[in-house]
Amino acid sequence: MTVDSFPTEPEAANELMRLARQINRANRKYHAEDAPEITDAEYDALVRRNAALEAAFPHLMRPDSPSNKVGHEIAASPLGKVPHEVRMMSLDNAFTDEEVAEFVTRVRRFLSLTADEPVLLTAEDKIDGLSCSLRYEKGRLVRAATRGDGQVGEDVTPNVAHIPDIVQELKGEDIPEVFEVRGEVYMEKAAFLALNAQLMDEARAAAEAKGEAFDDTTVRQFANPRNAAAGSLRQKDASVTAKRPLRFWAHGWGAASHVPGTSQHEVVRRIESWGLPVSPQFRLCENLDAMLAAYRATREGRAALPFEIDGVVYKVDRLDWQARLGFVAKAPRWALAHKFPAERAETVLESIDIQVGRTGKLTPVGRLKPVLVGGVTVTNVTLHNRDEIARLGVRPGDRVVLQRAGDVIPQVVDNLTREVEREPYLFPDHCPECHSEAVAAEGEVDVRCTGGLVCPAQRTERLKHFVSRAALDIEGLGEKTIDEFFAKGWLESPADIFRLRKRRDEILSLEGWKDKSVDNLLAAVENKRSPDAARLLFGLGIRHVGAVTARDLLKRFTTLPELRALAEQAHVKEGEDAVVAASEAYSELVSIDGVGPVVVEALGDFFHEDHNRAVWDDLLSEVSPPPYVVETKDSAVAGKTVVFTGKLETMSRDEAKAQAERLGAKAAGTVSAKTDLIVAGPGAGSKLKKAAELGIEVIDEAAWAQIVQDAG
Ligand SMILES: [Zn+2]
């Protein structure tokens, strides 16, 4: 079993790189070569670890991250590929009541509903199975496919013929010409245990028949019912599937020639009337309290169920609202999975170490007596910050309760020996690396080293971040090399990396370097003289600007100088918040999807620092990133810049912007010569005047709705 631990940022970046490679290799072996090298459980552990690291370090998420794909990538599956006409989505997760409340609030805000307008939501069991899409034409099952990566799945039509729950023909009223039922193939708990026992028996019998000694550790059993269902369904030989007691229930639909109903519950009930099972605990909730009550009732009753569930799924009931809410990345805005709480374990906190990150943040890491939590051995845990240590009252030697929720990185949730007398833990007031004072800014919980540029930990961590895989990705410039070059005084700032060629002879004189390795390094550096603008921006390590945020920013601005100019205008100086918050630069920046006030302030702060401006100018004298290329979709407004102004009547401003982005357009907040189209509601005022001066096309909200509709 893998050993779970809490890594530093560079460690996490390296591990994510390794995981991407391992998972992609495992996918290839499993699907293309049909020769898995690791067990499903090992595969799942890698995927979980990858997801946990990405959750803890969202800015380190790699462009080739395995989690960008919904499930297994289908390379050359022996089962044959099936492209999904309508993409199969995954769900956003929530773990607390507060997160569920936020979800409902977000839905209301997005739809700009009045406070007294009811929002009905459905609640149903979230079964831990394998997603499957069943295509019925004229009521007959013509194809069954797994989710695959969400866009392309595997053909399991002959396999599902052996699942009694999946009818070959729909019977009843209002059956559409074409209708894809989406649901989950699963195995009940008892069947899962029986299958594992049977696999063991078969292996024993086979060994005896051959006169060999039986070794039960070599028998491949399934780790959990979900794996058993997946392994049983995805068989080249459908007669194997036939012997496995698989079940199915429906929870939604994909492509449809018409949708038989105007609400989620109507359509689900209609599907049920055609002969397909649906979640046995399907409810309609009138408000948040009803949703949470459904969740609690389900959680309390789960152990008695014949199948494993891992939460409750809520969906906005009205289908017209679902359509307006749309999707973010690979998950719908109108659905949420409320997961059950996590597994817990007790252990001893042996010591507390302090790590210094590239922003100077002092992170306390708890070293634990190794303990199993939910099947994973945990040896380290982050204690986050000084306040968290105080809240828990933990000291080395204390007995603590660990928790892993939804496969995320474990947390200390309780201190069982708080009352035992022991020296209190004193959070350091000096940086363990450079001995500068370490303080928390007013209103902040994080203690940071004030050493700034004198702190070697911060400076080298920044350089390491700059060259890391998710940023500039300079091969051959590893952490040790950075430390070594830094110690020699060759790397004062990122730009110095591009001046290393002047030090060819000096590098060559270092131990371990040969002509070839030096040339390779210098070539790798030269190779990055026209870097991707988003990676470069991310590489600068501006607080709160992760890889995804960097891309979001450049989608809107395409070049770095343009972004910098706006960020400087939007800078919030003390005591001027109100003025600046009202400025156009500020509102344009905050209006970008995924960019909030925190990011805008961090950008402004960064560009107001003389030193940062110097580092930036120096760097841009060495590299020239080409304008960022935004992928466009096929629509009348693809690639265009759209400004929404005035009062929109059928949708919120956020919804309008999200629509524009879905159609491949850029939604801007201010009218300029670059604006292609203005969508104006009543009271648009000054922006219309400016549009007229610049000769920009102006349309009303109805015309915009038509464009959205035409794009499909
Ligand atoms: Zn320091």
Side-chain angles (χ1 to χ4, degrees):
M1 206 82 248
T2 50
V3 170
D4 209 343
S5 60
F6 192 78
T8 63
E9 212 163 282
E11 279 167 8
N14 276 327
E15 193 175 345
L16 283 167
M17 172 181 77
R18 241 182 3 255
L19 285 165
R21 240 189 257 140
Q22 284 176 313
I23 294 169
N24 288 332
R25 179 184 167 88
N27 281 335
R28 201 178 62 239
K29 288 277 167 196
Y30 191 105
H31 292 282
E33 298 164 28
D34 201 23
E37 293 172 327
I38 58 174
T39 65
D40 283 0
E42 285 165 339
Y43 177 87
D44 288 346
L46 293 177
V47 170
R48 276 202 306 269
R49 178 70 178 161
N50 189 69
L53 284 173
E54 285 176 350
F57 301 95
H59 57 286
L60 294 182
M61 181 147 167
R62 301 165 52 77
D64 62 348
S65 161
S67 46
N68 283 330
K69 294 145 194 149
V70 171
H72 284 282
E73 188 176 0
I74 308 302
S77 165
L79 290 167
K81 293 186 201 178
V82 179
H84 295 300
E85 199 177 316
V86 174
R87 188 175 175 169
M88 290 183 80
M89 296 286 164
S90 56
L91 294 173
D92 283 335
N93 290 331
F95 296 96
T96 64
D97 292 357
E98 289 72 33
E99 288 171 314
V100 178
E102 277 164 28
F103 163 73
V104 177
T105 306
R106 261 196 321 273
V107 165
R108 301 192 75 97
R109 201 188 305 126
F110 194 94
L111 296 170
S112 36
L113 300 179
T114 54
D116 53 352
E117 182 141 18
V119 177
L120 285 185
L121 289 111
T122 62
E124 62 193 297
D125 290 356
K126 185 178 183 304
I127 186 136
D128 205 7
L130 181 75
S131 300
C132 201
S133 182
L134 310 173
R135 187 178 175 93
Y136 289 89
E137 291 178 6
K138 297 193 173 69
R140 286 207 68 81
L141 178 68
V142 295
R143 186 161 301 117
T146 64
R147 170 152 60 188
D149 65 0
Q151 318 254 30
V152 179
E154 298 156 301
D155 190 345
V156 288
T157 316
N159 309 68
V160 304
H162 302 286
I163 302 178
D165 287 336
I166 298 180
V167 293
Q168 292 292 308
E169 191 168 1
L170 303 178
K171 296 221 170 79
E173 285 168 31
D174 203 9
I175 296 170
E177 185 73 14
V178 174
F179 196 80
E180 284 180 7
V181 176
R182 300 253 162 110
E184 218 74 10
V185 169
Y186 65 96
M187 192 179 281
E188 293 189 341
K189 291 185 228 173
F192 157 70
L193 295 172
L195 173 62
N196 269 349
Q198 183 196 331
L199 290 173
M200 185 64 84
D201 289 346
E202 284 172 5
R204 185 180 292 111
E208 280 166 11
K210 280 193 250 167
E212 288 169 2
F214 176 63
D215 176 1
D216 64 358
T217 61
T218 63
V219 179
R220 200 181 153 194
Q221 290 184 307
F222 291 107
N224 54 47
R226 198 206 72 84
N227 280 328
S232 301
L233 181 66
R234 295 165 62 249
Q235 289 282 343
K236 257 195 290 189
D237 179 358
S239 70
V240 177
T241 308
K243 292 183 203 140
R244 306 276 171 84
L246 293 174
R247 312 254 356 223
F248 174 85
W249 83 44
H251 53 54
W253 59 95
S257 53
H258 84 269
V259 176
T262 57
S263 65
Q264 182 75 25
H265 80 273
E266 266 174 44
V267 181
V268 167
R269 289 295 174 222
R270 180 57 77 190
I271 292 172
E272 191 180 22
S273 78
W274 295 335
L276 287 165
V278 301
S279 167
Q281 304 194 78
F282 185 92
R283 312 163 203 226
L284 205 49
C285 303
E286 288 183 348
N287 52 37
L288 180 65
D289 289 343
M291 292 160 70
L292 297 177
Y295 171 82
R296 274 184 249 295
T298 308
R299 193 178 65 192
E300 273 148 34
R302 72 192 274 218
L305 294 174
F307 41 78
E308 272 201 357
I309 58 174
D310 57 356
V312 170
V313 177
Y314 309 117
K315 291 174 184 166
V316 171
D317 194 44
R318 272 178 61 167
L319 299 186
D320 57 337
W321 284 354
Q322 288 189 4
R324 283 173 57 191
L325 285 157
F327 301 91
V328 189
K330 54 184 191 181
R333 277 200 190 88
W334 42 266
L336 185 75
H338 191 180
K339 296 295 222 31
F340 293 137
E343 313 204 37
R344 291 182 168 209
E346 292 177 25
T347 189
V348 175
L349 176 69
E350 293 184 326
S351 61
I352 298 174
D353 286 354
I354 299 288
Q355 293 175 346
V356 184
R358 79 187 138 82
T359 59
K361 184 186 162 191
L362 269 52
T363 302
V365 177
R367 307 293 177 195
L368 305 168
K369 184 158 178 258
V371 62
L372 265 176
V373 195
V376 173
T377 308
V378 180
T379 51
N380 301 307
V381 66
T382 177
L383 294 167
H384 299 288
N385 52 49
R386 188 175 59 183
D387 286 12
E388 178 69 2
I389 290 181
R391 188 183 72 80
L392 292 163
V394 284
R395 304 141 302 180
D398 280 347
R399 208 167 164 73
V400 294
V401 178
L402 273 187
Q403 171 173 300
R404 293 176 74 221
D407 297 325
V408 297
I409 285 173
Q411 308 278 327
V412 172
V413 290
D414 199 7
N415 178 3
L416 299 174
T417 38
R418 195 185 284 268
E419 307 312 323
V420 175
E421 239 179 82
R422 204 173 270 137
E423 284 286 295
Y425 175 77
L426 290 179
F427 201 89
D429 52 9
H430 285 80
C431 171
E433 301 284 340
C434 71
H435 311 293
S436 301
E437 221 187 320
V439 294
E442 213 183 301
E444 282 210 27
V445 290
D446 291 331
V447 174
R448 286 172 200 279
C449 161
T450 56
L453 294 173
V454 307
C455 181
Q458 291 186 51
R459 293 175 67 188
T460 54
E461 288 303 321
R462 279 181 208 174
L463 287 164
K464 287 170 192 171
H465 170 74
F466 183 76
V467 303
S468 67
R469 297 281 292 213
L472 269 249
D473 190 15
I474 299 180
E475 222 170 300
L477 198 50
E479 295 187 7
K480 279 204 183 113
T481 308
I482 295 229
D483 287 335
E484 189 178 12
F485 288 6
F486 180 83
K488 294 264 175 208
W490 299 346
L491 295 179
E492 291 292 322
S493 83
D496 286 334
I497 293 167
F498 293 91
R499 293 190 274 259
L500 281 174
R501 58 182 174 184
K502 293 178 190 147
R503 300 193 187 270
R504 192 179 182 282
D505 292 341
E506 289 169 272
I507 300 173
L508 204 48
S509 70
L510 297 177
E511 205 184 303
W513 290 89
K514 302 230 157 49
D515 276 306
K516 190 152 186 260
S517 52
V518 178
D519 288 344
N520 284 348
L521 171 66
L522 296 178
V525 170
E526 288 311 305
N527 204 11
K528 297 292 152 94
R529 290 236 180 229
S530 307
D532 176 79
R535 283 167 170 265
L536 189 70
L537 178 61
F538 169 60
L540 286 167
I542 300 169
R543 278 183 76 188
H544 308 296
V545 179
V548 174
T549 306
R551 284 201 295 277
D552 288 342
L553 286 163
L554 282 154
K555 268 189 216 157
R556 183 72 62 87
F557 296 105
T558 58
T559 72
L560 292 170
E562 210 182 325
L563 170 64
R564 170 179 171 174
L566 214 68
E568 287 189 8
Q569 286 169 34
H571 179 59
V572 180
K573 295 185 207 79
E574 255 172 78
E576 291 185 9
D577 298 28
V579 183
V580 179
S583 86
E584 291 201 352
Y586 185 89
S587 50
E588 175 153 7
L589 278 166
V590 228
S591 75
I592 301 172
D593 249 357
V595 177
V598 176
V599 173
V600 178
E601 277 163 37
L603 280 169
D605 289 347
F606 180 86
F607 286 113
H608 256 77
E609 191 85 35
D610 284 342
H611 165 74
N612 291 335
R613 283 207 296 262
V615 164
W616 171 280
D617 290 338
D618 191 18
L619 180 59
L620 287 185
S621 72
E622 295 289 343
V623 299
S624 9
Y628 191 72
V629 180
V630 182
E631 257 181 66
T632 54
K633 287 187 196 120
D634 201 23
S635 80
V637 293
K640 294 189 174 170
T641 301
V642 183
V643 173
F644 294 92
T645 179
K647 186 172 165 19
L648 300 176
E649 285 171 338
T650 63
M651 56 191 166
S652 67
R653 194 64 65 90
D654 284 344
E655 182 178 0
K657 285 183 174 162
Q659 283 178 348
E661 266 154 33
R662 237 178 281 156
L663 298 180
K666 284 207 273 182
T670 54
V671 176
S672 73
K674 286 185 182 166
T675 311
D676 297 299
L677 182 68
I678 291 179
V679 181
S686 69
K687 288 190 183 167
L688 283 189
K689 221 175 113 200
K690 197 163 174 194
E693 285 165 20
L694 294 165
I696 300 165
E697 187 188 349
V698 180
I699 60 171
D700 63 10
E701 201 176 332
W704 172 255
Q706 191 59 49
I707 292 175
V708 174
Q709 203 184 335
D710 291 347

